[in-house]
Amino acid sequence: MPTATSAPSASPAANDLDTSVRDRLVAAAAEVFAERGYEGARVQEIVRRAGLSTGAIYTNFRNKADLLLAAVGTASVDSLFATIELAGGTAEGLRRAGHELPTARRDKRPLLFEALVAARRDPEVAALLRKRLVTFRSLVAHVVASGQREGDLAPDLDAAAVAEFCQALGMGFLLMEAVGLPHAGEAEWSALIDRLIDAVTPQRPEGMQP
């Protein structure tokens, strides 16, 4: 009697194909959401631009809300954390992230703003976006707490409050660009960030290396 065998796993070529289909859908969705807004975007238009069938969306995404969050991708609020993380969770990481914030991922900001607008009317979009932003805030708080343990950031700061402040800055730039408000000069903004970071960095005796 033949023994039962498990189903073969997907081949590398099949996995590459799945990734390609997903990437094409996300790219097409980003275009359509940016042009027509979340409510005005139609699944048929997204798949047409991607050169795929409607079934491809529901094979890769649960619904339009899930696709919107994938299209938002690594938006400006995420790039802030990435900059901090790359610098090892130090005060220097926060400084670099602050310097870069006015220009970080400007290409994604309109799409993230569209997601925020959609969240006001669609509870599912709101839930998905809230989960993403809460995750971001907790990651930044973890980085800040790590810097405090290493003596690089003032120990009396509340890590969650610092993370909320970082997130509020990122969201503020999003709203400013939505209405076309101008930014301060690069040098002036960097000087302000340096002053803020210096205020939360423990003072070391002169000549002592950090």
Side-chain angles (χ1 to χ4, degrees):
M1 181 176 181
T3 58
T5 58
S6 59
S9 59
S11 67
N15 288 335
D16 289 344
L17 179 61
D18 290 345
T19 301
S20 173
V21 167
R22 184 180 175 88
D23 289 346
R24 285 161 62 187
L25 285 170
V26 170
E31 291 179 1
V32 176
F33 286 136
E35 291 171 12
R36 306 187 185 280
Y38 178 72
E39 293 181 0
R42 296 289 175 264
V43 167
Q44 293 81 358
E45 174 68 6
I46 293 171
V47 295
R48 184 189 68 78
R49 293 200 191 186
L52 298 164
S53 66
T54 303
I57 283 188
Y58 300 108
T59 299
N60 290 273
F61 302 96
R62 291 184 300 118
N63 49 36
K64 194 166 78 166
D66 194 26
L67 181 56
L68 173 63
L69 267 293
V72 169
T74 54
S76 57
V77 290
D78 295 319
S79 66
L80 175 65
F81 171 71
T83 301
I84 296 170
E85 186 180 41
L86 286 172
T90 63
E92 184 58 27
L94 290 173
R95 189 187 308 275
R96 285 172 50 193
H99 287 177
E100 295 173 11
L101 190 55
T103 57
R105 297 310 302 271
R106 275 183 171 168
D107 59 320
K108 292 290 186 179
R109 285 180 178 173
L111 201 53
L112 180 54
F113 182 78
E114 186 56 48
L116 290 169
V117 172
R120 292 195 63 194
R121 297 182 176 87
D122 189 319
E124 186 160 15
V125 173
L128 288 171
L129 189 57
R130 184 166 52 249
K131 180 179 179 181
R132 185 182 189 86
L133 294 176
V134 166
T135 298
F136 164 82
R137 190 183 295 185
S138 66
L139 288 171
V140 175
H142 175 76
V143 167
V144 171
S146 175
Q148 289 175 313
R149 286 192 298 271
E150 305 219 352
D152 199 53
L153 293 170
D156 57 340
L157 291 172
D158 182 80
V162 175
E164 184 174 351
F165 176 76
C166 292
Q167 192 169 58
L169 275 181
M171 304 300 277
F173 273 107
L174 184 70
L175 297 174
M176 287 172 60
E177 291 208 347
V179 296
L181 285 176
H183 297 308
E186 182 178 346
E188 290 78 8
W189 175 258
S190 294
L192 172 61
I193 292 298
D194 289 343
R195 181 73 64 87
L196 292 174
I197 297 303
D198 289 344
V200 298
T201 303
Q203 297 299 309
R204 296 181 173 87
E206 189 173 345
M208 177 179 281
Q209 293 297 318

